Amino acid sequence: MRLLRKSELPLLLGFLFLFVFLIVDFSVVNGYFDGFDSDVNDFVTYQSGSLVFSFFIGLTNLASTSVILVLSFILLLFLIYKKRYKEVLFFVFVLGGAAALEFIVKNLIHRSRPLSGLVDATGYSFPSGHALKAVLFFSLIIYLFLRNFKSNFNKGVFVFVCVILTLLIGFSRVYLHVHWVSDVFGGFLLGLFWFFFSLFVFERFWK
């Protein structure tokens, strides 16, 4: 049996995340997560005037469409300045494709948001767009800049910070009661699928 090539690993990971996403999607559509989602939202407490509340408001704003667009524009200018044109195209391909993917899936599922949202949120609930954008943006950050760190320790810290920020942004959507926890899982899984699938396709195309 032929061993898996290194270049095929992103494709394998992509379809693995897609498979798990489809399981979550199926469970959401059939209401299997309803009880769990409600229990988690009831368990999460908040105080609108607290420092924690302000912290999560800041985190959730970090993955808003407007902020992601501004940060992406700055990063693209940096990559163009460094003449990393391949990565410019990959960056645009990933984020542009993710926006289309999010729109399609949200409008296929038609899931309603929680009724007790603490901030304004429009559109359908599944999957969480903030979770999707966060996992893609920070995956791209890791892909683009991990090589700049020389020591394994610094690389580990860099990846750890990116992962923690992604998870906290996802949790902020549940904390603010604008998403169910399964929406956040779905956003993470769909984002990871799209990142690894895009990486495989783009590397093949570029060659």
Side-chain angles (χ1 to χ4, degrees), residues 31-73:
Y32 299 151
F33 272 115
D34 289 354
F36 175 71
D37 283 331
S38 296
D39 289 343
V40 171
N41 273 34
D42 291 341
F43 178 78
V44 173
T45 58
Y46 54 84
Q47 293 179 336
S48 60
S50 69
L51 183 62
V52 175
F53 179 83
S54 300
F55 172 73
F56 282 117
I57 285 287
L59 275 175
T60 208
N61 288 335
L62 182 61
S64 65
T65 300
S66 57
V67 172
I68 290 293
L69 285 174
V70 170
L71 293 176
S72 297
F73 181 72

Side-chain angles (χ1 to χ4, degrees), residues 133-201:
K133 288 191 284 284
V135 77
L136 280 172
F137 184 79
F138 285 109
S139 293
L140 283 165
I141 292 295
I142 293 171
Y143 173 77
L144 293 172
F145 299 110
L146 184 63
R147 73 194 70 172
N148 295 335
F149 295 91
K150 302 301 181 183
S151 72
N152 290 331
F153 176 79
N154 289 337
K155 289 180 178 180
V157 170
F158 178 64
V159 172
F160 177 78
V161 170
C162 289
V163 171
I164 290 299
L165 282 173
T166 300
L167 294 175
L168 286 174
I169 288 170
F171 179 74
S172 74
R173 305 306 286 168
V174 179
Y175 181 84
L176 297 171
H177 284 205
V178 290
H179 275 294
W180 307 106
V181 68
S182 56
D183 298 335
V184 174
F185 288 155
F188 285 156
L189 291 167
L190 189 62
L192 289 169
F193 152 69
W194 182 245
F195 175 79
F196 285 110
F197 180 76
S198 298
L199 183 60
F200 172 79
V201 171

Side-chain angles (χ1 to χ4, degrees), residues 18-121:
L18 177 62
F19 176 72
V20 181
F21 169 78
L22 291 175
I23 294 175
V24 174
D25 184 9
F26 176 82
S27 300
V28 165
V29 170
N30 288 278
Y32 299 151
F33 272 115
D34 289 354
F36 175 71
D37 283 331
S38 296
D39 289 343
V40 171
N41 273 34
D42 291 341
F43 178 78
V44 173
T45 58
Y46 54 84
Q47 293 179 336
S48 60
S50 69
L51 183 62
V52 175
F53 179 83
S54 300
F55 172 73
F56 282 117
I57 285 287
L59 275 175
T60 208
N61 288 335
L62 182 61
S64 65
T65 300
S66 57
V67 172
I68 290 293
L69 285 174
V70 170
L71 293 176
S72 297
F73 181 72
I74 294 171
L75 278 172
L76 287 173
L77 288 179
F78 172 79
L79 293 173
I80 291 171
Y81 173 74
K82 292 293 186 178
K83 297 182 179 180
R84 295 165 64 171
Y85 301 123
K86 171 186 174 182
E87 291 161 339
V88 169
L89 292 175
F90 180 63
F91 196 97
V92 173
F93 180 80
V94 169
L95 291 186
L101 195 60
E102 177 191 350
F103 177 81
I104 292 170
V105 176
K106 276 181 178 287
N107 284 277
L108 284 174
I109 304 304
H110 284 194
R111 193 186 198 190
S112 299
R113 293 178 182 271
L115 299 177
S116 54
L118 302 179
V119 294
D120 292 333

